[in-house]
Every structure is written in structure tokens, then in C-alpha cells.
Amino acid sequence: MDSATSVNGAAQQSRSGSPFSSSRDTSSRGTGTSQATARKTYGALTSASGRRWLLRGGAAAAAGAVGGFLTQDWRIGATFAAAALVALIVHSSRRYSEVPRWRRASAAQRRTEAQLRVMKRLGYRVLHARGIPGGNGQIDHFIVGRRGAFAIDSEAWDKRLPLRNKLEKLYHGKFSKNERIDEALEEARTAERLIAERLGRDIRVRPSLAIYGPTLPWDSHNLRGVDVIAGTKVRKWLRGGNDRLSDKEIEEIASAAETVLPARY
């Protein structure tokens, strides 16, 4: 009887599966699936990257061939090819954005984003397109680093119209931009309050408008609490912050901002 019971128990356990062997089998299958998915994803990424470089190389080679044929000098042709390749790389980097393609950032936002990629390599934490809870406002770029926390809104305005400060009011041609300044200030103050509540201590967020298009008579100028800066001088402005944050504070503020300022897309 014992033997029969043991045999039946073993058979039943075999049918139901051992908790150890099934766990290993499931784990092995899961690991295999994960590895296969990773290989597929990596293969897709490398394939897409390879196609991009192949297209760039082909275009650069064509430019070099045309240049060499027209000038009858292979060195000039090689110079044409190198210049074309550099131009294509710069053009691609400006078009690239961390914001998904289905909700593409504006040209001004992408230009600021390209500058901020350099700051990320220097240890700055950067968040893009963060919403303001309870409203339709958006901080285009939230940055925190050694020199403090910053909120940047990127704007592309008509370069044919002058930008001027008149009695602490900003005008683009004859059009007042004071409402836009007030919006940027309110967004930064709301972010400041929400992050401070999350951390349990006061912090400071410097608001700014990065302007592309018209020539500014300054690199940066504070109007009514908001720094109005030339779009091409974003990195210089960030390095001019007065705060001094530790690595721990940077991580805490960035994590809090990521939590209280929801991503718009």
C-alpha cells in the first residue's frame, strides 16, 4: 500500500509538476523570452541606426563625387563629402527629440533640448514637457544641477520685429509679451511650491523664457522675476546660477519634480 501510494503520489506530482522544477522551467522560459525580446529590440535599433548611417554615408559620398567631378580635384571632393556628412549629422541632432514623434516638440523646444543634452553629460538632470497640475500650463524644460533648479519655456518669435524692454515691460515690435512672462513666472512658482511640499523644505526655481528669432540687446535680462534670455545662450545662463546644490539635493529635487510635474506626453 505504501509503495502504491508513493507511486500514485509521484505520478500526481509529475502531472501537477514539482514546485521547484516548474519554477525553474518557468524562469528558463521567461529568461529565454526576455533575451529573445532584448535581442529583437537591439537588432531593430542597430538596424535602424545602420540604415541612417548608410543613408548619410551615401549622401556624403554623392556630394563628394559631384564636388570632385566639377573641380577635377579629389581633395576638394573629399572636403565636400566631409562637409556634407557633418551637415547631415548636425541636422539630424537638431531634429531629434526625446518627446515622442506623435507629439513632436516645436523647433524652439528642440533647439533648447539640443543644448541641454550637453548639460546632462555634465551632471544636470533634465525633464521635458512637464505639465502643471490643475491647469493647462507647461514647463518646456525643467533642469536641476549644481547651480540650482531652473524652468525654461522656449519661444520662437518673428525675427523681423525688434525685442525691447520699456519700463520693465517686454515688447516684440508693438506687441506686449507681458502675459507670457507672467505665465512663465506662475508655472515656476507652482513647481517650486509643489516640489517644496514634496521635500518638506523650501527650494528655489528660476523661471526663464528662451527666445529664438529676434536679436536680443542682451544675453539675459530679468524682467518682473523672469529671465529673458537669448535662445542660443541657454547653457551660459544655466552656468550663471547662484545656488550651490549637492549631488543628493540634485537627485531629490529631480525625483520630486518628476513626481509632482506630470509628463504631458
Side-chain angles (χ1 to χ4, degrees):
M1 289 296 292
D2 290 344
S3 176
T5 302
S6 300
V7 171
N8 290 337
Q12 184 176 1
Q13 186 176 29
S14 176
R15 287 193 299 271
S16 62
S18 166
F20 300 103
S21 62
S22 64
S23 174
R24 283 195 296 271
D25 292 345
T26 303
S27 176
S28 298
R29 287 195 296 271
T31 302
T33 303
S34 300
Q35 291 175 345
T37 303
R39 285 195 297 269
K40 183 177 180 181
T41 303
Y42 179 75
L45 290 173
T46 54
S47 178
S49 177
R51 285 195 298 270
R52 285 196 297 270
W53 278 106
L54 185 61
L55 290 173
R56 291 172 187 168
V66 171
F69 176 76
L70 293 176
T71 61
Q72 298 297 312
D73 190 332
W74 69 268
R75 290 170 296 186
I76 296 178
T79 302
F80 266 87
L85 184 59
V86 169
L88 287 169
I89 293 173
V90 170
H91 178 69
S92 297
S93 68
R94 286 189 174 182
R95 289 181 58 85
Y96 170 78
S97 173
E98 294 176 8
V99 177
R101 288 185 177 274
W102 59 270
R103 192 66 181 270
R104 176 63 74 192
S106 70
Q109 291 166 355
R110 291 199 302 272
R111 292 182 68 178
T112 300
E113 187 181 345
Q115 296 183 69
L116 295 179
R117 281 199 288 272
V118 176
M119 304 306 292
K120 287 173 70 174
R121 293 197 290 269
L122 298 177
Y124 283 71
R125 294 288 302 276
V126 181
L127 302 173
H128 300 289
R130 311 306 291 196
I132 302 297
N136 296 322
Q138 171 182 300
I139 295 176
D140 292 339
H141 320 277
F142 183 88
I143 307 99
V144 57
R146 292 280 187 180
R147 298 299 180 94
F150 309 86
I152 302 177
D153 282 349
S154 299
E155 299 279 330
W157 294 348
D158 192 337
K159 66 180 180 181
R160 297 170 297 180
L161 301 179
L163 199 66
R164 55 196 173 88
N165 167 27
K166 184 178 180 181
L167 300 176
E168 291 303 300
K169 294 182 179 180
L170 184 65
Y171 288 89
H172 180 220
K174 64 179 181 179
F175 304 101
S176 172
K177 291 296 183 179
N178 296 314
E179 183 178 349
R180 189 66 191 90
I181 288 181
D182 293 340
E183 289 174 355
L185 180 61
E186 180 62 25
E187 291 165 0
R189 291 294 172 262
T190 301
E192 194 175 74
R193 175 177 56 80
L194 293 173
I195 295 171
E197 291 175 355
R198 179 80 179 180
L199 296 178
R201 68 172 188 273
D202 291 338
I203 71 159
R204 179 171 178 249
V205 177
R206 287 182 59 184
S208 71
L209 284 177
I211 309 300
Y212 296 90
T215 301
L216 275 66
W218 56 75
D219 286 347
S220 67
H221 182 65
N222 190 278
L223 288 175
R224 298 159 61 188
V226 176
D227 288 335
V228 180
I229 59 180
T232 55
K233 304 293 183 179
V234 167
R235 286 181 297 187
K236 178 181 178 181
W237 176 74
L238 288 172
R239 290 193 293 267
N242 296 322
D243 294 342
R244 295 294 182 270
L245 301 180
S246 65
D247 291 340
K248 181 181 178 181
E249 289 173 320
I250 292 171
E251 290 302 318
E252 288 176 346
I253 293 173
S255 296
E258 195 166 11
T259 300
V260 301
L261 302 175
R264 290 296 298 272
Y265 17 79

